[in-house]
Amino acid sequence: MENLNVIIGKINSLLYFPILVVLLIAVGLYFTIRTGFIQVSLLKEAFKVIREKPEDASDVSSFQALMISTASRVGTGNIVGVSSAICLGGYGAVFWMWLVAIIGAASAFAESTLAQIYKKKGKHSSYGGPSYYIEEGLKSRGLGVVFSIALIVCYAVGFNMLASFNLQSSFASYAIYDANITPKIIGGFFAIAVAFVILGGGKRIIKITQGLVPFMGIIFVIVSLIMICLNIARIPEVFRRIFEDAFNFKSIFSGLAGSSMILGMKRGLYSNEAGIGSAPNAAAAAKVSHPVKQGLVQMISVFIDTLLICSATAFMGLSSGIEPTAALDGAPFIQEALASVFGSLGYYFISASLVLFAFTTFIGNLYYVDSNFDYLFGKQLEEKQRVPYRLIAAFLIFFGAIQEQAFVWNLSDLFMGVMALINLPAIMVLSNKALACLRDYRKQIKEGKDPSFVSKSIGIKEELDYWK
């Protein structure tokens, strides 16, 4: 395992710099410019679309699809990942997280709009994702299969194992923690709890995430704001150090793999998932009148994740005055920060937050896995056909709790990188369709219409399940 971890680490070093760092920024900037800075120009419209409800109450709404993708995005990485990036990379990691989110939001818009265009008709709702637009738009079933396999391994194995490890590690601060027993108890408990939810099917997943995600996000941000208000005098110094460290290029290039830039981008990408092709699987399920509507909604999900939740974690820790160090890597840094104000309640709050964040991550991730197993089998599977891999996925939650931290992070980074390496070029090749769809949407808004879409209006000749 140790040798495998070293090999994966070396692959990741090359994959993320220069390949993925350049690709992420280039694709994000391309869509930012070509969409006319959609992150700002249609921000108000995006919030309006979230409130829309489908005509049939049984259909998946924009808000429900947003909550599924946000459930996966907003997870343990928002606490442990952010803390790890700051402790190992420095204050500047926060800036690079922001940059990845702001630029990546345009990529998130494009990939989710494409998922809506190429979505398939299901038994109860539509479904789709990158594998579907890769096959239909690029005419490559083989590449679609590779992407689906990478996503399944990344989410059912890498990300869920990582969320499980991050969750149990937060209990290491307590006297009752036993390294030989506690991780197994926590991992086993959540494996059973997640199995109960996911064996109930997609509708149960939607119902759970719709209720939990807004609740946990609001509470977390409120506590962060209390911390900031109590330590308001330190905030100017925090901003100064963030920007100073972010542009300390001598420091960055002297230790590239562990620099604020690389760690900030890695953890930012892990947290918001913009451009890697995960959220389109949720976006395809929504019933909307125009593909752009769900593209806008998923753009908001990136902002919620990074600019709101990740920033809340960062300022919660940095405003406390406790210096981030490698010894505090992960949950301990944020726990110590909160404890400086709230005492032992700070430890309990982070553990409780990680419990909720991890739980919604587990079930949100497996919603994506369902969609990609459907792709591999060429049809929507029956619920009983999903049982074997769902049970394996639940077991991996237990297994992740007892693994080494470095291995689980490296494994997740590898498959996340593979997904991005396939999805980003794919949405670039298909960009004309997404951009034509956006032009059609803007034209109808100017005409005072509630935009609706017909595929032929933007020159799509493929036979689609929807938009005829």
Side-chain angles (χ1 to χ4, degrees):
M1 189 69 74
E2 188 176 334
N3 291 335
L4 179 61
N5 186 42
V6 170
I7 293 170
I8 293 175
K10 289 181 178 178
I11 294 172
N12 285 346
S13 295
L14 176 63
L15 180 61
Y16 278 87
F17 190 87
I19 300 172
L20 274 182
V21 167
V22 173
L23 192 59
L24 275 167
I25 293 175
V27 174
L29 284 174
Y30 172 81
F31 281 111
T32 295
I33 295 168
R34 290 295 307 275
T35 60
F37 292 84
I38 194 169
Q39 301 96 316
V40 178
S41 61
L42 286 181
L43 185 61
K44 184 178 178 181
E45 177 71 12
F47 282 106
K48 176 185 173 184
V49 169
I50 291 173
R51 299 192 298 270
E52 290 186 4
K53 295 181 180 180
E55 293 180 6
D56 189 334
S58 65
D59 288 326
V60 177
S61 69
S62 285
F63 177 75
Q64 288 173 323
L66 172 66
M67 288 302 100
I68 294 167
S69 61
T70 305
S72 177
R73 284 186 169 120
V74 177
T76 60
N78 292 79
I79 298 175
V80 179
V82 172
S83 173
S84 181
I86 293 171
C87 288
L88 300 180
Y91 278 62
V94 178
F95 171 83
W96 295 106
M97 283 185 196
W98 290 338
L99 185 67
V100 166
I102 293 169
I103 294 176
S107 302
F109 162 79
E111 64 183 358
S112 292
T113 298
L114 288 169
Q116 270 286 323
I117 292 173
Y118 289 101
K119 66 183 180 180
K120 298 291 183 182
K121 282 186 178 178
K123 297 169 186 174
H124 305 294
S125 63
S126 57
Y127 65 99
S131 291
Y132 297 90
Y133 60 66
I134 287 171
E135 179 173 349
E136 295 292 327
L138 302 183
K139 310 301 180 187
S140 178
R141 167 77 180 173
L143 191 59
V145 167
V146 172
F147 180 88
S148 279
I149 292 172
L151 184 144
I152 289 168
V153 175
C154 183
Y155 281 80
V157 182
F159 281 7
N160 271 2
M161 284 176 62
L162 182 55
S164 184
F165 176 87
N166 288 338
L167 171 61
Q168 69 83 14
S169 69
S170 72
F171 288 85
S173 304
Y174 304 116
I176 60 170
Y177 185 88
D178 184 322
N180 295 317
I181 299 174
T182 308
K184 294 175 184 176
I185 294 174
I186 294 172
F189 175 80
F190 277 94
I192 293 170
V194 170
F196 170 75
V197 174
I198 62 177
L199 291 178
K203 286 294 182 181
R204 184 180 287 175
I205 291 174
I206 290 171
K207 188 175 180 180
I208 292 289
T209 55
Q210 183 180 357
L212 271 181
V213 172
F215 169 77
M216 70 185 190
I218 290 169
I219 296 298
F220 193 78
V221 170
I222 289 173
V223 172
S224 172
L225 290 173
I226 293 172
M227 276 288 291
I228 292 170
C229 290
L230 292 175
N231 297 294
I232 195 71
R234 293 195 182 103
I235 298 302
E237 175 67 8
V238 169
F239 273 106
R240 184 190 68 79
R241 292 187 66 177
I242 286 173
F243 289 102
E244 186 178 83
D245 189 49
F247 295 100
N248 184 353
F249 292 109
K250 182 178 179 181
S251 174
I252 288 174
F253 290 106
S254 63
L256 199 58
S259 70
S260 63
M261 180 175 74
I262 300 301
L263 284 170
M265 287 188 168
K266 270 188 182 181
R267 298 299 160 250
L269 181 60
Y270 166 69
S271 182
N272 65 53
E273 304 174 16
I276 71 172
S278 55
N281 294 276
K287 180 70 178 292
V288 290
S289 64
H290 199 290
V292 164
K293 289 186 175 182
Q294 200 55 33
L296 293 172
V297 168
Q298 294 305 323
M299 179 181 76
I300 293 296
S301 183
V302 174
F303 292 153
I304 291 172
D305 174 88
T306 305
L307 300 185
L308 191 60
I309 308 295
C310 284
S311 294
T313 299
F315 282 92
M316 193 183 290
L318 297 177
S319 68
S320 69
I322 293 176
E323 197 65 22
T325 64
L328 293 174
D329 178 20
F333 172 56
I334 304 301
Q335 286 178 316
E336 290 293 331
L338 277 178
S340 69
V341 173
F342 301 108
S344 59
L345 288 176
Y347 293 95
Y348 301 142
F349 176 75
I350 292 300
S351 295
S353 297
L354 283 170
V355 166
L356 289 175
F357 282 22
F359 189 63
T360 55
T361 294
F362 292 145
I363 58 180
N365 286 353
L366 292 173
Y367 186 92
Y368 294 165
V369 172
D370 279 355
S371 177
N372 282 273
F373 266 112
D374 290 343
Y375 176 79
L376 293 178
F377 284 95
K379 63 177 183 177
Q380 270 196 307
L381 299 177
E382 300 290 340
E383 289 301 317
K384 62 182 180 181
Q385 293 175 309
R386 301 187 191 278
V387 171
Y389 72 77
R390 283 177 170 174
L391 289 176
I392 292 171
F395 171 75
L396 287 170
I397 291 170
F398 166 78
F399 189 61
I402 60 176
Q403 289 304 300
E404 291 293 326
Q405 180 182 23
F407 173 73
V408 182
W409 271 118
N410 280 334
L411 186 69
S412 300
D413 285 340
L414 175 63
F415 285 101
M416 178 175 67
V418 171
M419 287 172 60
L421 205 57
I422 296 172
N423 187 59
L424 288 169
I427 64 175
M428 281 292 288
V429 175
L430 295 171
S431 63
N432 285 340
K433 291 187 172 81
L435 294 169
C437 200
L438 177 59
R439 287 193 294 271
D440 177 69
Y441 187 84
R442 279 185 160 136
K443 178 185 175 184
Q444 292 187 55
I445 286 178
K446 286 182 179 179
E447 294 171 352
K449 299 177 181 177
D450 177 17
S452 59
F453 183 65
V454 177
S455 58
K456 290 182 180 179
S457 66
I458 64 168
I460 292 179
K461 298 178 181 178
E462 296 103 313
E463 189 65 27
L464 303 178
D465 280 18
Y466 288 84
W467 317 118
K468 297 175 184 178

